[in-house]
Amino acid sequence: MVRIKAQDWQTEFDDLMRGIAGAFLFGAPFLYTMEVWWKGNFTSPPRMMLILGIAYLGLVLLNIKGGFRAEQPRSRAQILVESAEGLAIALFTATLSLTLLDIVHFDAGIDAIMGRLITLSLPFSIGVGIANNLLLKIDDDEADPAKQREPQNDHPWRSTLSDAGAAFLGAIVVGSSIAPTDEIPMISSSLEPARLLLIMASSLLLSYIIVFEANFGAQRRRRSQSGFFQRPISETVAAYLIALATGMLMLWLFQGVRVGDPINQWVSYSIILGLPCTIGGAAGRLAV
């Protein structure tokens, strides 16, 4: 009896992590869009309710064939309940993101704060709704138990370079669309060193959740690869360093930072851009 309960809790945790990962994978670019913040300042309560209604309707439609749970809903009631849970996850991740980047302030007023959160919750809710469709796949050894006994023949260098290349390309896909914008210096201007450290820790945690805890699939195959950093902690740290370097490269290419700029500006901008680059890199690593 206890074993069943423990398994149920683990399944619930995996589903929750998958929903959070999907929200960040899809919603990160919208998080770095100042127009979303500003529009939220002037969103009326009826419009907020309309946005929430659209987000919920989208989740209902997506939960029919997608959703964030590994087990598909079997009834209309389950679809409605899980859509409400998905909307709650979207609101939670939107709140967490805006708070982390210091984009919401209590002195702005409750209407402006709610407007920003609810406006951003729309793309985040779509990410929750398509979490399974994004990257969920079945382990080869789950599909064919005989493959579980097959040895992994990949050379360590090949596995390492494959993961590093996937992290690099994923970071470029996300980072190149954000690096040229004014959001990076705007966010940086209000952040203290302690907040930058918190962003770094959050980036590492999100990368770990997306690749190793969200249970998007192929977990056994990933853990059995023979790369030099093929351990959850070491791979997460190595991928984050790649994301930081990629973000710094994108900032320099798009003239967000220049040679001769203060070192603290290089560091601050890179850490801020490193958050979405890390999310993109995690998606890239899952895709290979």
Side-chain angles (χ1 to χ4, degrees):
M1 188 71 176
V2 175
R3 186 176 302 175
I4 295 175
K5 288 184 178 180
Q7 185 177 1
D8 290 342
W9 276 110
Q10 183 62 49
T11 301
E12 186 69 23
F13 178 78
D14 289 343
D15 290 341
L16 178 61
M17 291 299 102
R18 192 180 304 110
I20 291 175
F24 279 107
L25 284 170
F26 189 83
F30 297 91
L31 176 61
Y32 287 75
T33 305
M34 67 177 70
E35 287 78 9
V36 174
W37 318 337
W38 291 344
K39 294 297 183 182
N41 292 342
F42 308 103
T43 304
S44 63
R47 193 175 294 270
M48 292 183 200
M49 294 302 297
L50 179 60
I51 293 173
L52 287 175
I54 293 173
Y56 181 73
L57 177 60
L59 282 165
V60 170
L61 297 175
L62 290 169
N63 272 326
I64 296 174
K65 289 295 184 179
F68 64 96
R69 294 190 179 278
E71 182 180 346
Q72 293 294 304
R74 296 182 298 273
S75 66
R76 295 177 183 177
Q78 278 187 309
I79 291 175
L80 296 177
V81 171
E82 292 181 10
S83 298
E85 293 174 351
L87 184 57
I89 293 174
L91 288 168
F92 170 76
T93 51
T95 302
L96 188 64
S97 303
L98 292 175
T99 303
L100 179 65
L101 296 178
D102 199 29
I103 298 173
V104 293
H105 306 91
F106 288 108
D107 56 2
I110 187 64
D111 289 342
I113 292 174
M114 293 301 298
R116 290 186 178 189
L117 295 178
I118 291 174
T119 302
L120 188 62
S121 70
L122 181 57
F124 273 62
S125 65
I126 296 175
V128 176
I130 63 175
N132 284 337
N133 293 335
L134 275 174
L135 293 166
L136 185 65
K137 50 189 176 183
I138 300 174
D139 275 325
D140 291 338
D141 55 354
E142 290 178 359
D144 185 359
K147 292 184 178 181
Q148 190 172 359
R149 298 187 295 270
E150 294 181 1
Q152 295 291 327
N153 296 320
D154 285 344
H155 193 279
W157 277 110
R158 180 177 298 177
S159 297
T160 301
L161 291 176
S162 175
D163 272 351
F168 176 66
L169 292 175
I172 287 180
V173 169
V174 177
S176 60
S177 64
I178 299 174
T181 66
D182 293 328
E183 280 77 359
I184 301 297
M186 182 177 294
I187 294 172
S188 175
S189 64
S190 65
L191 297 185
E192 300 177 352
R195 185 63 64 96
L196 292 175
L197 291 175
L198 184 58
I199 293 175
M200 292 179 66
S202 301
S203 300
L204 287 164
L205 180 60
L206 273 174
S207 177
Y208 180 83
I209 287 174
I210 291 171
V211 178
F212 294 105
E213 288 295 334
N215 200 23
F216 275 118
Q219 292 293 315
R220 296 177 187 172
R221 180 173 58 82
R222 286 198 56 79
R223 291 176 184 271
S224 65
Q225 286 178 348
S226 55
F228 293 108
F229 301 101
Q230 219 65 42
R231 295 292 183 273
I233 300 300
S234 58
E235 181 181 336
T236 299
V237 173
Y240 181 58
L241 294 177
I242 292 173
L244 283 178
T246 305
M248 190 176 296
L249 176 62
M250 293 295 100
L251 288 166
W252 177 75
L253 287 175
F254 291 108
Q255 304 179 51
V257 290
R258 297 175 176 83
V259 176
D261 286 344
I263 186 64
N264 63 318
Q265 180 176 328
W266 280 77
V267 172
S268 175
Y269 286 15
S270 299
I271 291 174
I272 293 170
L273 184 59
L275 176 60
C277 284
T278 301
I279 294 171
R285 286 149 60 206
L286 283 176
V288 298

